[in-house]
Structures are given as C-alpha cells and as structure tokens.
Amino acid sequence: MIIQNRKFVTFIASLLLISGLVAQSNATTLLRMDLNALTRSAEIIARVRCVHSQTRWESESIWTFDDFDVLETFKGAPPKTLRVRLPGGRVDHVEVKIEGVPAFASGEEVILFVERTSAGDYGVTSWAQGTFRVRRPASGDALLTQDTSHISVFDPRNRQFAPFGIRNLPISEFRQQLVQALIGSDSTNQKQ
C-alpha cells in the first residue's frame, strides 16, 4: 500500500512540476521602463489613429500588422502611414495571444513609442509599456492611460512584479513630461 501511495504522490508531483513549467513557458516578463527609458529606446514617438489591421502567417509564426495614420509627431520622422508589426493574432482557426502585446481597434487613437524591427518595419517599444491609449472625455483635455497600468511589470530595483504606468494623465501634462524626457535623451546621446 505504501508503494502505491508513493507512486501516486510521485505521479501528482510530476504533473504539478510539468504544469508549472508549462505555465512559466507561456508567461511574458516585461522589464520596467520609465518614460525616460522609453524615450531613449524609441526611434519614433507619435500620436496615431489605427486605420487597418491584418493578421497573417510569416516565417511559421502569426503576426498582426496594424496601419496607423500619424496625427502628431514627438520624435523621429515617421511615414504618413506607420505600419507596426506585433507577434500573435488570429488566422482562421488558430489564435496566438501573448501577454503584454497590445492589440488595436480600427479608429482607436494612441500614442506609440516604436523602433525598427529586424524585418525593416516597426514594433512597439516594450510592447504594452510603449502604448498609451487616448480617451477623450465629453469636456476637458484628452486623457492618456498606459497599457501597463493594469498588468504586472518586473522592477529590477526591488525585484518584484507590480502594476506600473500612467493612468488618466491629461495629454497636455504628458507632452510636458515627454519634452523633459526628450531633453534628457538628447543630453545623454551627446555625452556618448
């Protein structure tokens, strides 16, 4: 009887270990990037409106390609229509979702921090951290909410996961913070 119980316990322990490994392999870990780090990393920072999305297989992976009309440029020289490539999406009956990868709806207005991918198009810098959703209340200034304000991000300084990001910040205040980050980014680049 003890041998059977040991086999059962070993079997259950093995299942728990395997399920734990599978859960870890499906997780996405984003390292915390503040506005200054995002600004330094991004080639382009722009307020854009999503006009089209297409998902397709490429190199045995599913990718989503979002096209955005550029409404306002803060950094860089984006094309009039900015194409962003992100991993995941749905093609026919196959769907791939990756935590931390933003998804966009046609007509949606966002501020994106983007950089070139190895494929020559653009990707969002640090995915959810480089995505700021624009919400326009009935009165007053437009408000920005960073996608990471509701997901956990790893902060290496305190070695913990916690929600991190801007929430309901008036766009006028964001512009001021961004100008300061751009000034800091320029002085850092000049020192190097």
Side-chain angles (χ1 to χ4, degrees):
M1 188 72 154
I2 293 174
I3 294 174
Q4 289 178 340
N5 286 341
R6 279 191 202 163
K7 285 182 181 178
F8 180 72
V9 169
T10 303
F11 174 73
I12 296 298
S14 297
L15 283 178
L16 290 173
L17 177 63
I18 290 169
S19 68
L21 292 175
V22 169
Q24 287 178 356
S25 69
N26 290 331
T28 300
T29 301
L30 296 175
L31 290 176
R32 180 178 168 176
M33 292 182 78
D34 62 15
L35 190 58
N36 292 327
L38 283 169
T39 301
R40 280 191 307 274
S41 296
E43 180 181 332
I44 293 171
I45 304 171
R47 184 172 57 90
V48 296
R49 178 172 289 113
C50 184
V51 293
H52 181 261
S53 289
Q54 176 188 24
T55 305
R56 67 176 184 253
W57 286 98
E58 188 174 290
S59 302
E60 299 181 20
S61 296
I62 294 178
W63 293 90
T64 298
F65 297 86
D66 296 297
D67 292 334
F68 297 91
D69 283 342
V70 176
L71 306 174
E72 180 178 9
T73 302
F74 302 106
K75 179 183 179 183
K80 183 178 176 183
T81 300
L82 180 67
R83 171 162 279 186
V84 173
R85 164 196 296 263
L86 292 166
R90 182 182 185 93
V91 176
D92 298 325
H93 63 281
V94 179
E95 183 172 13
V96 175
K97 286 188 177 183
I98 301 170
E99 187 176 349
V101 174
F104 303 101
S106 187
E108 181 178 25
E109 186 179 334
V110 294
I111 292 178
L112 293 179
F113 289 64
V114 299
E115 53 195 83
R116 285 219 184 262
T117 68
S118 59
D121 46 19
Y122 293 95
V124 179
T125 303
S126 193
W127 294 343
Q129 291 184 88
T131 304
F132 295 78
R133 310 286 171 165
V134 177
R135 183 173 56 83
R136 297 192 177 279
S139 63
D141 204 2
L143 301 174
L144 293 179
T145 297
Q146 191 174 13
D147 274 9
T148 51
S149 67
H150 67 279
I151 64 171
S152 291
V153 176
F154 183 70
D155 186 346
R157 291 177 290 183
N158 62 16
R159 304 180 60 83
Q160 294 182 8
F161 287 90
F164 166 78
I166 292 171
R167 182 183 295 272
N168 293 325
L169 181 70
I171 197 168
S172 57
E173 288 182 40
F174 178 80
R175 282 188 180 104
Q176 291 172 359
Q177 290 180 17
L178 188 55
V179 165
Q180 292 303 313
L182 287 165
I183 290 168
S185 175
D186 286 344
S187 65
T188 301
N189 290 338
Q190 290 173 359
K191 291 178 186 176
Q192 296 175 357

